[in-house]
Amino acid sequence: MLTGYDEGATVRAPAAPPSGANTMNGTNSREIASGAGKSRLARALRIEWLGQTVASLCWIASVLTYGISSNGDWLQLAAASAWLLANIAAITTAEAD
């Protein structure tokens, strides 16, 4: 129980971060880049991402197929394009898991 001062306890200072150009403890930057590429590919092949991306592409195709004849059509195209860009951004950013 931590109710007071313990004479037998030792207090340790946090370790200082390594200094110098390579602060990644010997990890090669190419290894990280290839790992990130594999992670992106794995995320891109998930059904959630594929489904949303295909849906946004179909939405864009339908707007372009039926033509843009009103302001609502432009809004539809903007919404579908924003959805597609959000899906692409989700793949390119690092995953926090």
Side-chain angles (χ1 to χ4, degrees):
M1 186 158 79
L2 299 173
T3 58
Y5 179 73
D6 185 8
E7 291 181 16
T10 58
V11 177
R12 295 183 184 163
S19 62
N22 187 0
T23 59
M24 301 179 78
N25 297 330
T27 304
N28 190 347
S29 62
R30 282 184 281 207
E31 292 173 6
I32 293 171
S34 66
K38 289 179 185 176
S39 176
R40 283 185 191 130
L41 179 61
R43 284 184 278 162
L45 293 176
R46 290 175 50 185
I47 189 70
E48 298 91 358
W49 190 85
L50 284 173
Q52 288 195 12
T53 303
V54 168
S56 64
L57 288 171
C58 289
W59 190 5
I60 291 171
S62 71
V63 170
L64 296 176
T65 300
Y66 287 105
I68 299 176
S69 59
S70 69
N71 289 338
D73 295 331
W74 283 108
L75 289 173
Q76 293 275 332
L77 183 60
S81 299
W83 189 13
L84 179 61
L85 288 175
N87 286 336
I88 293 170
I91 290 297
T92 58
T93 57
E95 193 169 88
D97 290 336

